[in-house]
Amino acid sequence: MPNPVNASIPEEVLRIADDIKTMRIRGAGKIARSAAQALIIAAEKYRGPPEGFTEYIRTVGVTLIRTRPTAVSLPNAVFYVLSRIDGLEGEEARIKTIEAGKKFIDLSLTALDRLAEIGSKLVEDGDVVLTHCHSTAVVRLLQKARQRGTDFQVYNTETRPRFQGRITASQLLDSGIKVTHITDSAVRSVMPRITKVIVGADTVTSDGHLVNKVGTSQIAIAAYEAGVPFYSATESIKFSPASFAGGDVVIEERSAEEVVDPIWLKGRRNVKVLNPAFDITDPEYIHGFITELGLIPPRAASLIIREMFGLRSGHLQLKLIEEEAEWSH
Ligand code: RI2
């Protein structure tokens, strides 16, 4: 179905969508807050007829959801805002969109702060924490532990192909935390020195699976083998109501150029490059999810989803995602 109002989406909103797609804006929490901000901007800049607003803002929501498929915080942010204007029209809907967008950003930042506070208490003197990729939630948690005066150090993976681990290393070093930067493939060999693994999350499913940066599941298995507890630090907005309703998590495949030099690839046309951005860790390897609601065991994920989003939200989200799929054909 052609999208009739696409042309009127403000430039600034389309830029945010593009920045999410190209990962200039990245990290599941930041992506969600940026999507909420984009909805606020779209509502503030709307100049069309009042009766066209609801359709317009849904189109903006769908445009944002289409940018990256894996982190559920993105559709959760869009759904949070859109569900609050359900049944409203015109100016009332426009004002409520702005209010809901601001409220979402506020809640998300408060959750981040709270989970960092809760998680920081898990870090003890003498700990050697391993982390993967760059997660704002993990960095905040470690910074809080440091502020509390806990004496610990961190091993962090470089995280190929996009090297988000370098951001983690810089931020931890700036906070006075001792960091050892390792290649992704060194994880198992350093595991005997590690006392805790703490990674972020892009999506947590209702049955307690963790979807996170590719390589996470290998780390979880290596930690399990060595008897090292494995945690994921995640705001509850990364729990997936759609998975509760039977929806699958789509693992994003990114371009070959992120993995190999295009010139190298040009001369080797028969080489197939695969670049999945995320993988899935089974609940049995996960000690707990550090959330703003406390430390949650994987088997309790469905309770969190029910509590935070309600029973019907999964079906409603799936409907929105299905509409999105129709539009993209
Ligand atoms: P915060 C990142 O994905 C990583 O997988 C990280 O663990 C996750 O987002 C959560 O990040 P990407 O956007 O919300 O780099 O904790 O592909 O920042």
Side-chain angles (χ1 to χ4, degrees), residues 133-260:
C133 196
H134 171 258
S135 154
T136 302
V138 174
V139 169
R140 286 275 174 94
L141 180 163
L142 296 171
Q143 286 169 334
K144 286 229 184 216
R146 172 83 186 122
Q147 283 158 13
R148 180 171 286 129
T150 312
D151 179 22
F152 65 98
Q153 56 168 305
V154 175
Y155 275 61
N156 99 294
T157 58
E158 58 179 359
T159 319
R160 274 193 53 84
R162 293 188 67 111
F163 300 104
Q164 292 99 318
R166 292 174 184 174
I167 309 170
T168 305
S170 307
Q171 291 183 349
L172 294 179
L173 283 170
D174 287 349
S175 311
I177 298 166
K178 197 173 159 207
V179 182
T180 305
H181 195 58
I182 58 169
T183 58
D184 302 337
S185 19
V187 162
R188 190 162 176 253
S189 30
V190 304
M191 197 54 85
R193 307 176 204 179
I194 305 297
T195 56
K196 279 169 191 133
V197 176
I198 311 178
V199 299
D202 288 85
T203 290
V204 178
T205 65
S206 57
D207 56 1
H209 285 78
L210 166 67
V211 185
N212 194 49
K213 182 56 53 194
V214 69
T216 300
S217 63
Q218 293 171 178
I219 297 173
I221 292 169
Y224 186 79
E225 176 194 48
V228 175
F230 175 100
Y231 299 95
S232 162
T234 168
E235 305 92 303
S236 61
I237 52 155
K238 296 174 191 164
F239 283 65
S240 166
S243 73
F244 203 40
D248 286 334
V249 179
V250 176
I251 301 294
E252 178 180 11
E253 291 271 350
R254 296 189 64 86
S255 74
E257 283 73 24
E258 288 188 347
V259 179
V260 289

